[in-house]
Amino acid sequence: MTPPPLRPPRFDGGVALAGLAGGLLLWGFGLGVRPDTDPVVLFGGRWALLVPLAVVAGCELLRRTAPRTALAVGTLALAADVMTQGSIATIVMYTDLVYAAVVYGTPATARRLPWVTGVLTIAAALVPYAVWRVPEALVLGLVVGAVTFGPASTGLIVRNHRDAAEAARLRAEQTALLAEMDRVQAVTAERARMARELHDMVANHLSAIAIHSTAALSLDDPGTSREALGVIRENSVQGLTEMRRLIGILRDGEADRAPAATPTLDGLGALVEGARANGLDVTLDATYDDVPAPVELAAYRIVQESLTNALKHAAPGRVTVCLRRPADALDIRVTSPHGDRDAPRAPGSGAGLVGMRERAALLDGTFEAGPEGTLWVVRATLPLTDTEQGDT
């Protein structure tokens, strides 16, 4: 609920002035609710009715800042007005105080006041009728209902509509916030996927280029330099091909240019041959049946990154790549010699291990990498069930 204002709004001041001016105008014309001879009039004379009129007009200033206080004081003023000739303006302003108490008051007031005024209306109709036994006595109940129950019921309807509108606005804001969070998460996930793809496709070739170019610069041997330049050219061409494939995937507008197919496990042989051409002693031992496409791509990228790391960091020796498929998973194991090396090193950022771990996690698999004795071992287990929800 919106907290009440600290100062009376300008509108409430206008309501109070208008009610007071209307009451004074009626008083000036000598128009009252009851004649001076009415038995209920205890304070006769035209001046007596101005006191309740002024008090109720003052209460109108508090209709939003202190609605319950305004209603309580206004009720006493209305009771005093009944003992005078009365003013229509006082009664009309009192009905507004009842309405404002429900609309701007506390939730407890909004719930209870219609019930209280309803009970008063029934009592004002039945008690006089039971005492006097004349149908005209029921008119008193109608008057009390019009002055109290009617404004309270109207205020409750208005408040319920306002609360419903406020709840709808809050739900719309929450929906917009959730949509924005989903958009940010989707963009972040897509950026992470693109970073993995870019790293896995290009890092292998750039690492080979960096190592062989360092070797060509450090050795004063024309034959070695020529061989290194050949490897550099081959990796440059392959790297450009991979880059074009990635760019083709990102170009949604060019529908007539279908990007090349994503790598599969059938390409492991060519991947191992490329690693051998770059100077690695690699042995491939792969036994597997049909594998879902997401698992196939993740496995290929894990082997590719493992060979790239071996090219950059492994000591001289044999690198083994082993793939096995039990009943419900694909096991990957890549080992390489671990220790100091004399050959040139390519710098590493650690993004490769992060990417491999993310690929396994997206498929609800496991990933481990670390030294075991004289070997650096990379292990990954990729489940073959529920892989459609994984995004590699």
Side-chain angles (χ1 to χ4, degrees):
M1 183 181 69
T2 304
L6 298 178
R7 299 179 58 184
R10 183 176 300 179
F11 177 80
D12 293 351
V15 171
L17 290 177
L20 182 61
L24 292 176
L25 182 63
L26 294 175
W27 177 81
F29 284 104
L31 299 177
V33 177
R34 290 170 294 275
D36 194 19
T37 58
D38 195 296
V40 299
V41 177
L42 301 181
F43 303 100
R46 299 178 58 233
W47 294 96
L49 61 84
L50 293 181
V51 176
L53 175 67
V55 172
V56 174
C59 291
E60 285 283 48
L61 293 174
L62 305 177
R63 62 193 298 272
R64 266 189 275 197
T65 55
R68 289 190 297 180
T69 301
L71 179 61
V73 176
T75 302
L76 297 177
L78 182 65
D81 183 74
V82 173
M83 302 176 189
T84 67
Q85 289 182 313
S87 174
I88 295 293
T90 302
I91 297 174
V92 171
M93 285 190 290
Y94 180 78
T95 61
D96 182 66
L97 293 178
V98 176
Y99 169 84
V102 176
V103 174
Y104 304 114
T106 62
T109 302
R111 290 192 305 268
R112 295 170 184 169
L113 196 55
W115 288 98
V116 172
T117 55
V119 172
L120 289 177
T121 300
I122 296 173
L126 297 182
V127 172
Y129 180 78
V131 173
W132 296 324
R133 296 293 180 175
V134 292
E136 289 79 2
L138 298 174
V139 176
L140 182 60
L142 296 178
V143 173
V144 173
V147 174
T148 60
F149 180 70
S153 301
T154 304
L156 182 60
I157 294 173
V158 172
R159 183 179 182 122
N160 288 338
H161 280 292
R162 287 186 178 180
D163 291 345
E166 180 67 14
R169 184 185 65 82
L170 292 177
R171 284 196 298 270
E173 291 180 355
Q174 292 174 354
T175 302
L177 180 60
L178 291 175
E180 178 63 18
M181 292 175 61
D182 290 342
R183 186 192 68 81
V184 172
Q185 291 177 355
V187 170
T188 302
E190 182 63 15
R191 290 179 62 180
R193 186 187 71 84
M194 293 173 59
R196 289 193 300 269
E197 287 294 316
L198 182 62
H199 178 275
D200 292 344
M201 289 192 303
V202 180
N204 182 40
H205 303 299
L206 292 182
S207 298
I209 291 172
I211 292 174
H212 285 84
S213 61
T214 302
L217 291 173
S218 60
L219 299 176
D220 189 12
D221 184 358
T224 303
S225 298
R226 175 175 290 276
E227 180 180 353
L229 289 175
V231 175
I232 290 172
R233 181 186 183 281
E234 180 180 354
N235 281 278
S236 300
V237 172
Q238 293 178 357
L240 287 174
T241 302
E242 295 284 357
M243 284 292 296
R244 292 191 185 99
R245 189 184 74 82
L246 179 59
I247 293 173
I249 293 175
L250 298 177
R251 289 185 183 276
D252 295 334
E254 299 187 9
D256 55 335
R257 288 182 52 190
T262 57
T264 64
L265 293 180
D266 293 337
L268 288 180
L271 182 64
V272 169
E273 289 299 324
R276 289 171 181 163
N278 291 330
L280 284 180
D281 181 11
V282 186
T283 299
L284 175 63
D285 181 12
T287 302
Y288 55 87
D289 296 327
D290 292 336
V291 176
V295 175
E296 201 166 11
L297 176 59
Y300 181 93
R301 293 304 189 196
I302 290 174
V303 173
Q304 183 184 43
E305 181 58 28
S306 299
L307 294 179
T308 299
N309 289 339
L311 178 64
K312 292 192 294 185
H313 307 296
R318 174 161 296 184
V319 179
T320 61
V321 178
C322 180
L323 273 75
R324 292 290 184 271
R325 179 186 169 175
D328 56 354
L330 180 66
D331 293 332
I332 305 168
R333 176 184 170 91
V334 181
T335 62
S336 58
H338 178 64
D340 296 333
R341 55 178 288 176
D342 298 330
R345 271 182 196 272
S349 63
L353 291 176
V354 173
M356 289 189 286
R357 185 171 287 106
E358 287 179 349
R359 289 184 182 277
L362 287 171
L363 296 173
D364 294 331
T366 60
F367 175 82
E368 296 178 357
E372 290 187 6
T374 60
L375 297 178
W376 180 271
V377 181
V378 175
R379 290 192 186 90
T381 300
L382 306 179
L384 302 181
T385 58
D386 298 331
T387 56
E388 293 300 325
Q389 63 185 9
D391 177 17
T392 59

